[in-house]
Amino acid sequence: MDLNPPPGENYANPRICFFHVLFKAGALAFYILSALFSDSFVIIFVVTVLLAALDFWVVKNVSGRILVGLRWWNEIDDNGESVWKFECLDQEALARMNKKDSWLFWWTLYLTAVVWIFFGIFSLIRFQADYLLVVGVCLTLSIANIVGFTKCRKDAKKQIQQFASQTIANRFSSTLQSAFSVV
């Protein structure tokens, strides 16, 4: 992934980008600054996890669809097995996606998890098991979105490759048929 956002392009969905970043930044900022607001671990836990859960929901249900054209969910089938479901826009729509929106989506998705890992290590070093619980919940929500969208992106690439190879095969066979029907 490129470290720099694409030049010369504006965000196509600035409000969605704002909310994509807002709850991530809110959860991280509240966790960092919580000592200034409250001495109660319960309040810190509830507010931080609530902000992380809002981030999870916004990313999974809104910004993932609009900024990168991907959607995922998990279902339990009749046999009790967990089944991943993926949706993506068609190839033309994916090609029209704003590069800056996509860049923001993927970088904030991964960067948030890295920051939570850092906080987890810091909590371990300071022997703060209660704060490790907060970090663990927030990191789990963050990683769930990473896994879901990464699998979804891989599935979308596979679908595009299958469609391309199927289209090429169909055109090749129709060309052969027309060539042999002429003879």
Side-chain angles (χ1 to χ4, degrees):
M1 294 180 88
D2 188 14
L3 290 174
N4 300 316
E9 219 179 325
N10 286 328
Y11 292 104
N13 302 289
R15 284 190 203 115
I16 303 299
C17 291
F18 173 76
F19 284 104
H20 178 74
V21 174
L22 176 71
F23 294 116
K24 288 174 186 6
L28 291 167
F30 189 84
Y31 180 77
I32 293 168
L33 302 173
S34 59
L36 300 174
F37 302 117
S38 175
D39 292 333
S40 170
F41 171 74
V42 173
I43 291 173
I44 294 168
F45 179 86
V46 168
V47 173
T48 305
V49 170
L50 180 65
L51 289 168
L54 287 170
D55 171 57
F56 176 81
W57 186 88
V58 167
V59 171
K60 186 174 175 301
N61 295 305
V62 180
S63 64
R65 290 179 178 188
I66 295 172
L67 300 180
V68 292
L70 301 172
R71 180 176 176 233
W72 66 272
W73 68 96
N74 193 297
E75 293 178 347
I76 305 298
D77 65 9
D78 295 335
N79 298 329
E81 298 291 321
S82 178
V83 179
W84 287 84
K85 302 283 186 171
F86 306 108
E87 284 182 355
C88 70
L89 295 176
D90 62 358
Q91 188 175 1
E92 282 183 29
L94 283 174
R96 289 191 310 263
M97 296 301 289
N98 184 286
K99 303 283 189 260
K100 208 168 199 177
D101 288 354
S102 179
W103 180 88
L104 177 80
F105 177 85
W106 290 108
W107 272 101
T108 56
L109 197 65
Y110 288 114
L111 188 61
T112 304
V114 169
V115 172
W116 284 120
I117 289 170
F118 172 75
F119 288 149
I121 293 168
F122 190 69
S123 294
L124 278 172
I125 291 171
R126 295 189 62 198
F127 298 109
Q128 294 177 319
D130 48 355
Y131 286 93
L132 191 59
L133 178 64
V134 176
V135 171
V137 171
C138 295
L139 182 60
T140 300
L141 292 170
S142 189
I143 289 177
N145 264 333
I146 290 172
V147 169
F149 281 106
T150 302
K151 284 184 173 190
C152 193
R153 182 171 58 176
K154 287 180 182 178
D155 187 66
K157 287 179 181 179
K158 187 173 73 175
Q159 287 178 8
I160 289 169
Q161 288 173 347
Q162 287 174 346
F163 176 74
S165 63
Q166 188 177 35
T167 303
I168 290 169
N170 289 342
R171 288 189 180 173
F172 181 71
S173 67
S174 66
T175 305
L176 283 178
Q177 286 176 354
S178 64
F180 285 118
S181 66
V182 171
V183 177

